[in-house]
Amino acid sequence: MTYVIAQPCVDVKDKACIEECPVDCIYEGQRSLYIHPDECVDCGACEPVCPVEAIFYEDDTPEEWKDYYKANVEFFDDLGSPGGASKLGLIERDHAFIAGLPPQNQ
């Protein structure tokens, strides 16, 4: 199990969660943030600091945002497990599902 970043983060990327994460497992894509499922230790520190309430425990993700779990996991298919987001900085891409969304929160 892991935490998932869903639709409210798309085109917002507040990053308060990044500052709170003790294991540096929240990576920044072009339009959204992503939690690495193998690096996350399920501490939950990120969830309460998200100002747009975009972070959910996998089982608690609202039904309309269930596809974001797959997007969070598959975002790392090419990256593998880099061992920390701060090493990479902004990753100039998004999962195809996120990239295909119309502009959000405007």
Side-chain angles (χ1 to χ4, degrees):
M1 296 300 193
T2 189
Y3 281 82
V4 175
I5 296 179
Q7 185 276 329
C9 183
V10 177
D11 296 327
V12 173
K13 298 192 312 183
D14 174 79
K15 300 182 191 172
C17 57
I18 291 173
E19 296 169 18
E20 204 63 35
C21 179
V23 294
D24 195 26
C25 72
I26 303 173
Y27 292 73
E28 181 181 3
Q30 196 69 32
R31 296 181 62 196
S32 186
L33 302 176
Y34 300 85
I35 297 175
H36 196 297
D38 295 332
E39 296 175 5
C40 178
V41 295
D42 298 335
C43 71
C46 58
E47 185 180 17
V49 299
C50 180
V52 295
E53 299 179 359
I55 302 175
F56 301 91
Y57 193 66
E58 178 185 343
D59 289 345
D60 298 333
T61 305
E63 193 60 41
E64 69 267 26
W65 294 332
K66 291 289 186 186
D67 290 340
Y68 286 82
Y69 171 77
K70 182 177 178 183
N72 271 253
V73 171
E74 291 179 356
F75 180 75
F76 298 100
D77 283 353
D78 293 337
L79 289 176
S81 187
S86 59
K87 295 180 194 178
L88 298 182
L90 174 67
I91 299 166
E92 299 281 341
R93 66 174 180 79
D94 280 295
H95 184 274
F97 173 74
I98 304 294
L101 292 172
Q104 304 289 304
N105 305 310
Q106 302 209 3

